[in-house]
């Protein structure tokens, strides 16, 4: 479970860095880098094909040699079964999103990160396609009655697996 | 506003009849042309920003060797579409001059400051002079004045000095070159400016400073060409472009450099957005007072500058917008002030007084939940919301305020309850990476065609209402001509409400339907040839795959596909539907086909069956080991596909870089059948130096 939590933090951090642009990434990579810089640059301006990267001599297989199970499609997502079952019948608007933060009293949600947006007024079911690297989601229902408080439900893959019961 | 009227008037006439009018006498703004489908920008060198000045759709051609002619105040350029030099007037109408250049194209050129003639340079050919003087009997005739045996530097633009009349350029190693076109034998190297690169745009100002813009990172350097040791001084950072050419009236002085201190909105100018239209704008009297986390200041609306980060971050939509229903927003403010907002409910392109949705609402620091009413008679579809925050009461949708911020949002009004599902998320991109050498094994750098995209589908109850496909082509490490398409798996073409499809490329409606005709399947052709919209640019073989070949993204698309009534939501297959590349008709492929395979050639994601257009006996050729009978498609003998789909804004490997050296965890992930290294594709998991970046 700890691992899963860490993955999600890394995801969030990477997304934030991506917004800022610039070539920051690649941190912590102590492996010897390929002798690619000059090779690629020269290949760009001449007609010759690039020399193999230095790592190729270290006994690794190339991707062309990689053995892949026939039936495995390399899909990077999984289906998540969402069941909405509000404790009280109340017209509300549901969002399920990947990016959020929490303070002592409430959650802050980035609605641009949502996978689903829909009005609900009773039990409902959905199937969402969730990227494998996403390990946490938040659901929020905002009642159309502005005097009623929003209802938040969290999902963690390590706890709830491939189903998400939304209050 | 004024500009728009002029343009409309021009478009009403045919090109030849339009009244040609020159640009202002020696404008201080520079000109910059970029991209495969040319975009023309005005560049304010002093302020370090640029704005697009020619309207979208003004040309479908690629332009280069842009030059401002101070003898007639027209722009001239080499047009790849016309195969000729074109004269461009202030209405952005292009007229070919009828030169005798034949098939020779140019990307280096400028008009002399001492004679009415255009000088063009091409490596391997030399320097040509073309007279632009219409009274001259040599008008439009080209003359080779210096051949490549004596002059062959790698330069990508040149500019004429306002005072000494000589041309200057910086070559790829950073060497400043002076060319005396009056005595072509007298070219000289004046020293190294200390910055190498592809300098695709060059300008002079009246003081004799040379400005050169580097393609891959947009850095603009200033050089005093009269200095004993001319050196590059970083002047500002503009957008990167692989295809870039600049022009400016060399006699215009640079106006003083002002630090912008006003925040503008971004809705179309009919709403009152730019300074010229008395746009909504907020001064920097209290820079700590804003919506959301940031506010950015500009010299005017619609400018492209180094500060490209969106500052529209203060409003969240807690519900959708439905006609006749209340909607809820969450507004985040940095301090105490007043919020007002307007929504263009009738879709007439203006915020009217009756369209106020929030009026001087007092807020404090933090988030507030606000309900607004969406009138029953609102026009459905896309419209705009403007939110203003200031200590000044009684603000209108336009006009200035001393403090605070304005944020404009493009929003959608629906006519009923819709369920919307997004892939990979509402506002974010997934990435498709293709090897296009199928059925031959490629180099697995996975960058022959790289498309970032997102999908959404909206349903009302059990009915499918619409699908949207939106994205951008971010790399093409390929020489083959490829098209990109999306089969809406499960849907028949007869289910599509074709007349109401909305289709734009780079914001322009191509004027035809993207639904492939004559097919039973619903196939959306995003573009038949991606090379129509992207160019590797100067000194690069491919588009955005090689080091030093950075560029802004040159092709974006958005397609909304509505359904006819009664299409069941269950008909449509799962995300990501069925994206694929195909061979552009008329272009040869590899030897395994013998003739140009055109639409009969497709490459899909692994185990995705091809469309009805595919030629079935292509399977099994070359290295392909598909077994259609057992549902195994587009794989080699090892089970490896020619295409990957990654639900993330993936940074693709550099040219010729096997994906395993760019993302070291990829192989283990695949060997585990996806159970290990689930986040192998994140930027933090890649080797930065083996990934492409601008």
């Amino acid at each position: 479970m700890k691992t899963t939590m860490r993955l999600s933090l890394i995801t969030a951090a990477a997304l934030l860095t991506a917004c800022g642009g610039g070539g920051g990434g690649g941190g912590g990579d102590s492996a010897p880098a390929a002798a690619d810089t000059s090779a690629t640059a020269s290949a760009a301006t001449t007609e010759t094909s690039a020399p193999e990267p230095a790592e190729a001599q270290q006994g690794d297989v190339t991707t062309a040699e990689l053995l892949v199970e026939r039936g495995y499609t390399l899909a990077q997502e999984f289906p998540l079964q969402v069941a909405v079952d509000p404790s009280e019948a109340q017209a509300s608007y549901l969002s399920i999103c990947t990016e959020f933060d929490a303070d002592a009293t409430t959650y802050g949600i980035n609605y641009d990160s949502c996978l689903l947006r829909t009005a609900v007024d009773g039990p409902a079911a959905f199937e969402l396609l969730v990227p494998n690297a996403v390990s946490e989601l938040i659901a929020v229902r905002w009642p159309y009655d502005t005097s009623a408080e929003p209802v938040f439900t969290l999902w963690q893959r390590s706890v709830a697996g491939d189903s998400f019961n939304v209050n | 506003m004024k500009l728009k009227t002029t343009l409309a008037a021009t478009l009403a006439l045919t090109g030849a009849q339009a009244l040609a009018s020159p640009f202002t006498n020696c404008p201080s703004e520079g000109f910059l042309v970029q991209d495969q489908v040319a975009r023309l920008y005005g560049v304010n060198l002093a302020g370090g920003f640029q704005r697009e000045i020619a309207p979208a759709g003004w040309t479908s051609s690629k332009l280069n060797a842009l030059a401002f002619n101070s003898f007639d105040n027209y722009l001239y350029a080499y047009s790849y579409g016309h195969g000729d030099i074109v004269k461009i007037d202030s209405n952005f109408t292009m007229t070919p001059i009828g030169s005798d250049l034949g098939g020779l194209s140019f990307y280096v050129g400028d008009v002399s400051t001492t004679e009415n003639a255009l000088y063009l340079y091409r490596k391997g050919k030399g320097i040509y002079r073309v007279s632009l003087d219409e009274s001259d009997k040599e008008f439009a005739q080209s003359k080779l004045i210096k051949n490549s045996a004596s002059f062959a530097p790698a330069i990508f633009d040149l500019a004429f000095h306002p005072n000494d009349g000589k041309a200057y350029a910086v070559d790829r190693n950073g060497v400043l070159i002076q060319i005396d076109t009056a005595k072509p034998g007298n070219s000289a190297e004046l020293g190294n400016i200390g910055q190498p690169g592809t300098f695709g745009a060059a300008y002079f100002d009246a003081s004799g400073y040379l400005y050169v813009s580097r393609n891959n990172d947009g850095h603009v350097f200033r050089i005093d060409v009269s200095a004993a040791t001319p050196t590059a001084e970083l002047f500002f950072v503009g957008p990167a472009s692989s295809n870039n050419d600049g022009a400016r009236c060399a006699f215009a002085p640079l106006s003083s450099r002002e630090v912008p201190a006003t925040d503008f909105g971004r809705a179309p100018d009919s709403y009152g957005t730019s300074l010229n239209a008395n746009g909504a704008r907020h001064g920097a009297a209290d820079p700590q007072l804003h919506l959301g986390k940031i506010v950015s200041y500009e010299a005017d609306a619609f400018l492209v500058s180094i500060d490209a980060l969106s500052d529209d971050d203060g409003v969240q939509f807690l519900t959708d917008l439905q006609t006749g229903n209340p909607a809820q927003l969450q507004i985040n403010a940095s301090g105490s002030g007043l919020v007002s907002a307007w929504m263009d409910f009738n879709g007439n392109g203006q915020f009217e007084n009756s369209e106020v949705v929030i009026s001087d609402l007092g807020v404090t620091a933090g988030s507030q939940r606000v309900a607004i009413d969406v009138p029953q008679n609102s026009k459905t579809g896309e419209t705009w919301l403007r939110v203003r925050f200031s200590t000044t009461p009684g603000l209108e949708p336009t006009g200035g305020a001393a403090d605070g911020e304005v944020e404009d949002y493009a929003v959608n009004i629906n006519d009923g309850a819709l369920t919307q599902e997004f892939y990979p998320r509402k506002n974010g991109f997934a990435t498709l990476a293709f090897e296009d050498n199928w059925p031959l094994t490629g180099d697995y750098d996975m960058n022959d065609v790289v498309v970032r995209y997102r999908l959404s589908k909206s349903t009302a109850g059990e009915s499918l209402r619409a699908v949207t496909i939106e994205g951008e082509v971010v790399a093409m490490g390929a020489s083959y001509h490829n098209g990109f398409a999306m089969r809406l798996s499960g849907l028949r073409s007869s289910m599509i409400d074709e007349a109401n499809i909305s289709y734009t490329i780079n914001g322009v409606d191509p004027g035809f339907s993207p639904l492939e005709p004559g097919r039973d399947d619903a196939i959306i052709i995003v573009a038949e040839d991606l090379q129509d919209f992207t160019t590797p640019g100067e000194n690069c073989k491919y588009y955005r795959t090689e080091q030093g070949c950075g560029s802004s993204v040159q092709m974006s698309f958005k397609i909304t596909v509505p359904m006819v009534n009664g299409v069941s939501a269950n008909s449509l297959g799962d995300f990501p539907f069925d994206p694929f590349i195909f061979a552009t008709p008329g272009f040869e492929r590899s030897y395994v086909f013998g003739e140009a395979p055109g639409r009969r050639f497709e490459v899909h994601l692994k185990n995705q069956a091809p469309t009805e257009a595919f030629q079935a006996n292509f399977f099994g050729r070359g290295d392909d080991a598909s077994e259609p009978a057992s549902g195994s498609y587009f794989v080699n003998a090892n089970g490896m596909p020619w295409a990957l789909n990654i639900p993330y804004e993936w940074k693709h490997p550099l040219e010729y870089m096997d994906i395993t050296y760019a993302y070291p965890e990829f192989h283990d992930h695949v060997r585990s059948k996806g159970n290990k290294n689930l986040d192998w594709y994140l930027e933090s998991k890649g080797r930065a130096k083996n990934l492409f970046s601008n």
Side-chain angles (χ1 to χ4, degrees):
Chain A
M1 183 157 146
K2 246 183 177 162
T3 321
T4 319
M5 290 299 289
R6 258 182 66 204
L7 282 178
S8 114
L9 287 173
I10 290 168
T11 312
L15 288 169
L16 288 172
T17 335
C19 294
D29 178 11
S30 58
D36 52 276
T37 314
S38 53
T40 314
S42 70
T45 46
T46 65
E47 293 298 320
T48 57
S49 63
E52 285 290 300
E55 290 106 320
Q57 274 105 56
Q58 296 171 7
D60 294 349
V61 299
T62 66
T63 300
E65 298 159 342
L66 180 66
L67 294 173
V68 192
E69 174 99 357
R70 278 239 160 199
Y72 168 54
T73 63
L74 280 78
Q76 301 295 320
E77 311 88 358
F78 66 95
L80 176 71
Q81 308 303 325
V82 177
V84 185
D85 195 2
S87 50
E88 49 192 295
Q90 181 183 50
S92 60
Y93 195 78
L94 168 70
S95 297
I96 296 182
C97 315
T98 62
E99 272 181 38
F100 57 98
D101 52 36
D103 63 24
T105 55
T106 188
Y107 292 94
I109 298 174
N110 176 4
Y111 290 88
D112 280 345
S113 75
C114 294
L115 308 183
L116 175 73
R117 306 249 299 159
T118 186
V120 287
D121 54 8
F126 305 93
E127 182 180 293
L128 302 181
L129 197 64
V130 182
N132 283 339
V134 171
S135 57
E136 288 184 306
L137 292 169
I138 193 165
V140 58
R141 284 194 303 107
W142 287 93
Y144 282 105
D145 172 2
T146 50
S147 65
E149 290 300 309
V151 181
F152 298 94
T153 316
L154 290 182
W155 168 87
Q156 288 185 323
R157 194 176 187 184
S158 57
V159 176
D162 296 349
S163 60
F164 185 8
N165 295 316
V166 175
N167 297 324
Chain B
M1 289 285 277
K2 210 171 178 185
L3 183 67
K4 279 199 169 156
T5 320
T6 320
L7 284 172
T10 310
L11 292 172
L13 302 163
T14 62
Q17 292 167 321
L19 213 58
S21 62
F23 286 88
T24 342
N25 184 32
C26 202
S28 62
E29 204 168 44
F31 299 90
L32 181 70
V33 69
Q34 294 187 333
D35 294 355
Q36 176 74 345
V37 177
R39 294 175 181 221
L40 185 66
Y41 298 87
V43 182
N44 182 318
L45 280 172
F49 56 82
Q50 63 187 47
R51 82 182 92 198
E52 197 159 359
I53 55 172
W58 73 298
T59 179
S60 57
S61 180
K62 171 170 145 180
L63 300 178
N64 216 317
L66 187 71
F68 185 83
N69 185 349
S70 54
F71 292 88
D72 63 9
N73 290 323
Y74 285 91
L75 280 171
Y76 289 82
Y78 182 82
S79 164
Y80 290 74
H82 296 89
D84 194 2
I85 296 161
V86 290
K87 178 178 179 177
I88 304 166
D89 69 19
S90 61
N91 296 319
F92 310 106
T93 305
M94 264 182 245
T95 315
I97 69 164
S99 70
D100 59 356
L101 291 167
L104 213 53
S105 62
F106 294 89
Y107 54 74
V108 181
D110 197 14
V111 174
S112 167
T113 47
T114 56
E115 50 167 340
N116 190 357
L118 174 67
Y119 284 86
L120 297 165
Y121 167 73
R122 181 166 159 151
K123 196 164 188 274
K125 297 287 182 187
I127 300 178
Y128 293 79
R129 177 189 185 275
V130 181
S131 168
L132 299 178
D133 181 352
E134 294 180 24
S135 64
D136 181 356
K137 65 178 190 305
E138 291 187 342
F139 170 70
Q141 290 178 29
S142 63
K143 200 159 72 180
L144 183 67
I145 63 157
K146 195 170 174 63
N147 66 31
S148 61
S150 60
F151 189 73
I155 58 174
F156 306 95
D157 196 17
L158 58 81
F160 277 90
H161 193 289
N163 305 324
D164 71 16
K166 292 171 183 161
Y168 290 79
V170 177
D171 78 4
R172 58 179 299 189
N173 299 315
V175 175
L176 177 65
I177 296 170
Q178 182 192 58
I179 307 154
D180 187 346
T181 50
K183 298 173 193 156
N186 294 358
S187 68
E189 294 189 357
L190 303 182
N192 195 302
I193 63 163
Q195 291 286 344
T198 301
F199 296 100
Y203 318 84
F204 264 106
D205 70 14
S207 312
Y209 280 106
L210 176 66
Y211 300 81
V212 291
S213 164
R214 185 157 63 193
N215 285 7
N216 68 299
D217 58 11
H219 285 200
V220 175
F221 298 98
R222 183 170 84 158
I223 304 151
D224 179 359
V225 299
S226 65
T229 50
T231 46
E233 169 200 355
L234 182 61
F235 201 62
F236 71 91
V237 182
S241 170
S242 63
N243 183 71
N244 211 11
D245 207 90
R248 184 172 185 273
C249 177
F251 301 106
L254 229 55
S255 55
S256 64
R257 190 164 188 171
E258 291 168 20
V259 178
T262 311
D263 175 55
F264 287 86
R266 64 183 184 95
D269 214 16
S270 64
Y271 289 101
T273 304
S274 71
L275 193 56
N276 195 32
N278 186 30
R281 56 197 191 275
H282 293 252
D286 178 1
Q288 303 308 317
L289 198 68
H290 48 76
L291 293 164
K293 292 193 171 74
I294 47 172
V295 56
S296 66
Y297 298 112
E298 301 92 25
D300 202 346
F302 314 120
L303 299 177
V304 182
S305 74
I306 181 179
D307 182 13
L309 217 60
S310 169
D311 64 350
D312 293 336
D313 61 346
V315 179
Q316 300 272 12
F317 295 84
L318 303 179
T319 69
D320 61 355
L321 303 168
Q322 266 182 55
T323 53
N325 264 25
Q328 288 176 45
L329 310 178
Q330 184 169 275
I331 295 176
N332 184 275
S334 67
S336 297
L338 301 165
V339 171
S340 294
W342 299 262
M343 197 180 302
D344 179 17
F345 290 120
N346 62 11
N348 70 347
Q350 291 171 14
F351 295 120
E352 289 149 298
N353 288 338
S354 60
E355 294 178 319
V356 65
V357 290
I358 303 172
S359 184
D360 280 348
L361 173 71
V363 299
T364 53
S367 291
Q368 6 267 320
R369 179 182 177 189
V370 183
I372 63 173
D373 282 318
V374 181
Q376 184 68 50
N377 61 357
S378 301
K379 191 174 174 209
T380 57
E382 190 165 289
T383 189
W384 285 85
L385 169 72
R386 170 164 290 168
V387 180
R388 301 188 70 174
F389 173 55
S390 173
T391 57
T392 308
L395 288 183
E396 295 185 357
T398 56
D403 59 14
E405 186 180 0
V406 52
E407 295 191 354
D408 291 343
Y409 291 87
V411 297
N412 263 294
I413 298 178
N414 308 320
D415 60 357
L418 289 184
T419 295
Q420 290 186 290
E421 290 174 52
F422 304 96
Y423 176 84
R425 47 188 239 158
K426 182 169 186 287
N427 211 342
F429 285 124
T431 307
L432 288 161
F434 292 92
E435 282 286 295
D436 73 345
N437 208 25
W438 186 88
L440 302 175
T441 293
D443 51 9
Y444 285 104
D445 56 11
M446 301 310 300
N447 67 19
D448 295 347
V449 175
V450 185
V451 179
R452 282 188 185 155
Y453 74 112
R454 58 175 161 255
L455 304 170
S456 71
K457 64 173 175 178
S458 48
T459 52
E462 298 303 309
S463 293
L464 180 64
R465 296 288 292 270
V467 170
T468 62
I469 306 163
E470 190 175 358
E472 49 192 37
V473 177
V474 297
M476 292 228 294
S479 311
Y480 290 134
H481 287 255
N482 294 300
F484 175 65
M486 177 75 73
R487 172 168 53 182
L488 301 178
S489 33
L491 301 188
R492 312 278 90 194
S493 56
S494 57
M495 295 172 171
I496 308 297
D497 178 8
E498 188 174 9
N500 288 308
I501 291 177
S502 153
Y503 171 36
T504 58
I505 294 184
N506 294 334
V508 178
D509 181 350
F512 52 84
S513 168
L515 182 66
E516 187 170 35
R519 306 287 180 212
D520 291 333
D521 287 344
I523 298 170
I524 301 297
I525 304 286
V526 175
E528 196 164 62
D529 188 352
L530 301 178
Q531 290 192 24
D532 286 347
F533 302 96
T534 59
T535 174
E538 295 120 339
N539 208 29
C540 300
K541 265 179 84 178
Y542 304 116
Y543 166 61
R544 301 185 86 246
T545 65
E546 304 144 87
Q547 239 157 24
C549 291
S551 156
S552 53
V553 169
Q554 296 179 19
M555 180 185 173
S556 62
F557 55 86
K558 183 171 184 181
I559 306 171
T560 302
V561 186
M563 302 299 139
V564 298
N565 287 333
V567 176
S568 163
N570 296 326
S571 313
L572 181 62
D574 292 335
F575 290 135
F577 310 139
D578 179 15
F580 63 95
I581 57 171
F582 59 93
T584 303
F587 288 95
E588 295 288 331
R589 213 79 193 183
S590 62
Y591 68 88
V592 292
F593 300 109
E595 59 174 4
R599 265 303 271 113
R600 294 171 294 154
F601 172 103
E602 297 178 350
V603 179
H604 292 250
L605 293 169
K606 182 173 175 181
N607 292 354
Q608 184 70 58
T611 76
E612 65 199 77
F614 184 81
Q615 183 168 316
N617 71 6
F618 285 174
F619 281 133
R621 294 191 187 182
D623 299 310
D624 179 77
S626 299
E627 292 170 2
S630 55
S632 174
Y633 297 101
F634 297 102
V635 289
N636 67 13
N638 294 338
M640 185 66 199
W642 274 261
L644 287 178
N645 179 50
I646 298 156
Y648 181 68
E649 286 183 35
W650 192 57
K651 293 195 81 162
H652 55 275
L654 279 168
E655 193 61 40
Y656 306 120
M657 186 60 62
D658 188 314
I659 183 174
T660 190
Y661 305 122
Y663 290 93
E665 295 182 2
F666 174 67
H667 281 194
D668 280 344
H669 172 77
V670 172
R671 287 192 191 99
S672 75
K673 289 198 278 181
N675 290 313
K676 282 166 58 179
N677 306 107
L678 266 56
D679 55 357
W680 65 270
Y681 50 74
L682 299 183
E683 191 177 349
S684 58
K685 300 288 181 174
R687 272 191 193 140
K689 66 181 304 179
N690 294 349
L691 305 179
F692 172 81
S693 61
N694 260 357

